[in-house]
Amino acid sequence: MQGERSNNSYDHVLKYTSVFGGVQGLIILIGLVRNKCMALLLGAGGMGLNALLVSAQNFASQCTNLGISFGAVPRLSDYYERQDERQVEEYVQVVRLWSMIAAVLGMAFCIVVSPLINELSFTWGNHTLHYAMLALSVAMLAITGGETAILKATRRLGALAKIQLFTAVASVLLTVPLYYYLRHSGVVPAIVLMAGAGMLVTISYSWHCYPLRLRFSREQFQRGASMIKLGLAFVMAAALGSATEMLIRAYLNVAGSLDDVGFYNVGYMITITYAGMVFSSMETDYFPRLSAISHDMGKTNETVNKQMEVSLLLLSPMLVALLTALPLLVPLLFSADFVPVVAMAQVAILAMYFKVVSMPIAYITLARSRSGAYLLLETSYFVVLLIAIVAGFRWWGIWGTGLAIVVAHVAEMLAVGGYAYWQYGYRGTWAVGRYFVIQLLIGIGAYTVSCLLAGWSYWIAEAALTFVSTAYSIHVLRQKTHLWEALKRKFRT
């Protein structure tokens, strides 16, 4: 048990960052198959339409899901840790009751706001019915969120991993035939089917663990009220993020075209989503560890800096390699029509160097339950991002949106780091600063090469920079002696 509690070592951070990143990487690979099929069958315009509808779905979901997927976990987890099965079963009923309320609320909200979203998103045609049809998927996402919270709180992590994988596979099997036979008309049914598949897979596991029993009472509503209050700030922040993404895509469609929306969506997905392989461990492993010692700023500093070091050293070589390979990857993963995405994504990749620094620090505010400060910081980031996207697209087209993402993440790092420095006494280390500067300079060098060179000289120079970044990370990790031994054992097995 003592060994399990000593989970603040570099070994632990590397292990769980790698494990959760590996699962996320497999899901991304499955998603690449679906995106490739969508790109070939629907083109940039079809992907742009899908992006608009998905962003609208996410906005409606975030506005109405009541934060159940977050707010239900602490209380239910406490009952589970105390092995109070009666309380666990009763609270599961509370979660499911409020999930049903959120589902009905989500359906109503989606139908009511669909005319407004149509006016903001399109200058041609009437797509109100398309947005209204998303009400079904919003309701199913609410049910899925509640059941997912139950599985998280009761430590069904293996089930959660299987659910993610099965849902990703189902998304390919269900949507590709729709794209093939219905083309653009299949986009809305595909979104609804994906939400339905996720819900069915999730409840098949959750209902097996805790069979469905619903009881309506005043006590159930009262117990759920505290859960909703806890998740409110996170609902507002997530809804604001979804609204910002929806507004960005709507602006690109109005000021440009659906093709521009598709280009932006692909570039954003490449830079933000794929880098999430390293970030995926933070909510699952890093955040609970940080929450447990949030009262001790010395231990907090140590935990944050170790997570930052490992994440930065793991991610940086991947960023240089991704930047290098984009001229080949984009046509391969999508189609030749998406070549304009390359320049936008290459500059946007630089934003991830700043995100990998700001993200571990941002979790300090979450660990201390400062929901108001968290909401304020998130709002500031989204405002900067929206303004930067509008300005960047107006002046430099789709490439300017990539530059805007970098500007927004620089501003976020300064805001989050400054707030944690003055409010909590967070202090970085010289080691973190050194790793960040060296790897950032290598990344800037790789981007400069992409702008100035072509042909064999491009590939040779980029390969050299990728090697330097990788070698530096390995050299530093080897100095953390246990890490290197753990890696060798891992590869032997």
Side-chain angles (χ1 to χ4, degrees):
M1 179 63 72
Q2 184 62 31
E4 289 296 320
R5 292 185 180 277
S6 300
N7 58 2
N8 197 31
S9 66
Y10 287 102
D11 305 70
H12 179 93
V13 177
L14 178 63
K15 175 184 176 181
Y16 283 94
T17 300
S18 302
V19 167
F20 293 117
V23 173
Q24 188 67 22
L26 185 57
I27 293 172
I28 288 173
L29 288 176
I30 297 172
L32 286 176
V33 176
R34 189 176 71 87
N35 291 330
K36 175 69 174 181
C37 294
M38 186 188 300
L40 292 175
L41 296 173
L42 304 183
M47 293 194 73
L49 177 62
N50 181 76
L52 281 171
L53 293 171
V54 169
S55 63
Q57 171 198 253
N58 292 340
F59 172 66
S61 177
Q62 298 292 357
C63 285
T64 59
N65 65 21
L66 305 179
I68 294 172
S69 61
F70 172 82
V73 173
R75 179 72 62 85
L76 187 57
S77 180
D78 180 54
Y79 293 148
Y80 183 79
E81 283 294 322
R82 288 192 276 137
Q83 299 182 350
D84 191 337
E85 282 299 318
R86 184 182 66 83
Q87 289 283 16
V88 169
E89 292 180 2
E90 288 184 359
Y91 205 73
V92 165
Q93 293 182 36
V94 173
V95 173
R96 287 174 173 163
L97 172 62
W98 278 92
S99 294
M100 291 179 61
I101 295 173
V104 174
L105 182 62
M107 290 185 67
F109 179 84
C110 198
I111 293 171
V112 169
V113 303
S114 56
L116 174 61
I117 297 177
N118 176 70
E119 290 295 325
L120 291 173
S121 304
F122 287 92
T123 57
W124 52 272
N126 189 341
H127 299 266
T128 302
L129 180 61
H130 293 158
Y131 286 116
M133 289 173 63
L134 296 177
L136 289 173
S137 64
V138 172
M140 289 186 286
L141 288 175
I143 300 297
T144 303
E147 300 301 324
T148 301
I150 293 170
L151 293 173
K152 283 182 180 179
T154 55
R155 310 297 192 271
R156 265 66 175 193
L157 299 182
L160 286 169
K162 293 176 182 177
I163 288 169
Q164 291 177 338
L165 290 175
F166 291 159
T167 302
V169 172
S171 71
V172 176
L173 299 178
L174 293 174
T175 61
V176 172
L178 286 174
Y179 299 147
Y180 180 78
Y181 288 108
L182 300 180
R183 303 294 174 171
H184 286 202
S185 299
V187 171
V188 174
I191 294 173
V192 175
L193 279 178
M194 286 174 61
M199 182 188 73
L200 291 175
V201 174
T202 304
I203 63 176
S204 68
Y205 279 93
S206 182
W207 290 5
H208 176 74
C209 299
Y210 297 95
L212 179 63
R213 299 186 185 93
L214 290 177
R215 179 169 61 88
F216 298 91
S217 67
R218 184 175 181 179
E219 180 187 1
Q220 299 278 24
F221 283 97
Q222 290 175 339
R223 295 186 70 181
S226 61
M227 171 181 68
I228 303 306
K229 181 179 179 181
L230 180 61
L232 184 60
F234 300 92
V235 169
M236 295 175 65
L240 183 61
S242 297
T244 302
E245 286 302 319
M246 185 177 63
L247 288 173
I248 288 172
R249 287 164 174 79
Y251 168 76
L252 293 176
N253 186 38
V254 173
S257 66
L258 270 178
D259 285 358
D260 292 315
V261 179
F263 293 150
Y264 171 79
N265 196 60
V266 168
Y268 188 88
M269 178 173 56
I270 289 172
T271 56
I272 305 296
T273 305
Y274 296 168
M277 287 191 297
V278 172
F279 299 141
S280 62
S281 69
M282 292 197 184
E283 181 179 351
T284 310
D285 172 61
Y286 166 67
F287 179 49
R289 287 190 290 114
L290 188 65
S291 299
I293 46 88
S294 60
H295 61 282
D296 187 328
M297 202 57 222
K299 292 182 178 179
T300 295
N301 279 331
E302 180 186 4
T303 302
V304 172
N305 290 325
K306 284 183 177 179
Q307 182 70 42
M308 197 183 300
E309 287 180 35
V310 172
S311 299
L312 181 62
L313 292 169
L314 285 177
L315 182 62
S316 296
M318 295 169 55
L319 294 178
V320 180
L322 178 61
L323 190 151
T324 300
L326 277 176
L328 293 178
L329 287 178
V330 169
L332 178 65
L333 298 177
F334 301 95
S335 71
D337 294 337
F338 289 83
V339 170
V341 171
V342 174
M344 175 260 185
Q346 283 180 323
V347 67
I349 282 173
L350 298 178
M352 295 301 96
Y353 288 96
F354 301 96
K355 185 178 180 67
V356 79
V357 171
S358 64
M359 198 170 182
I361 302 174
Y363 272 97
I364 300 176
T365 299
L366 291 174
R368 295 196 168 206
S369 300
R370 301 287 181 86
S371 56
Y374 169 76
L375 182 59
L376 178 62
L377 291 170
E378 287 291 288
T379 301
S380 302
Y381 164 73
F382 290 126
V383 169
V384 173
L385 178 64
L386 181 60
I387 294 173
I389 290 286
V390 171
F393 185 74
R394 178 176 297 178
W395 291 335
W396 297 295
I398 198 67
W399 177 85
T401 63
L403 181 63
I405 292 173
V406 178
V407 171
H409 280 84
V410 172
E412 180 187 34
M413 184 188 73
L414 295 175
V416 168
Y419 182 83
Y421 181 90
W422 293 109
Q423 190 68 29
Y424 309 127
Y426 165 72
R427 299 294 183 268
T429 63
W430 284 107
V432 169
R434 183 170 65 254
Y435 304 155
F436 172 72
V437 170
I438 292 174
Q439 293 287 13
L440 177 61
L441 289 175
I442 295 173
I444 293 174
Y447 177 70
T448 302
V449 168
S450 72
C451 296
L452 299 179
L453 300 181
W456 284 107
S457 58
Y458 166 84
W459 294 108
I460 292 172
E462 294 287 29
L465 288 169
T466 303
F467 174 79
V468 170
S469 179
T470 304
Y472 180 73
S473 289
I474 292 176
H475 171 71
V476 174
L477 290 175
R478 286 189 67 175
Q479 293 178 340
K480 322 296 182 181
T481 55
H482 296 296
L483 280 179
W484 187 246
E485 294 301 321
L487 279 174
K488 290 194 290 186
R489 290 195 300 271
K490 181 180 177 64
F491 283 114
R492 288 196 193 105
T493 58

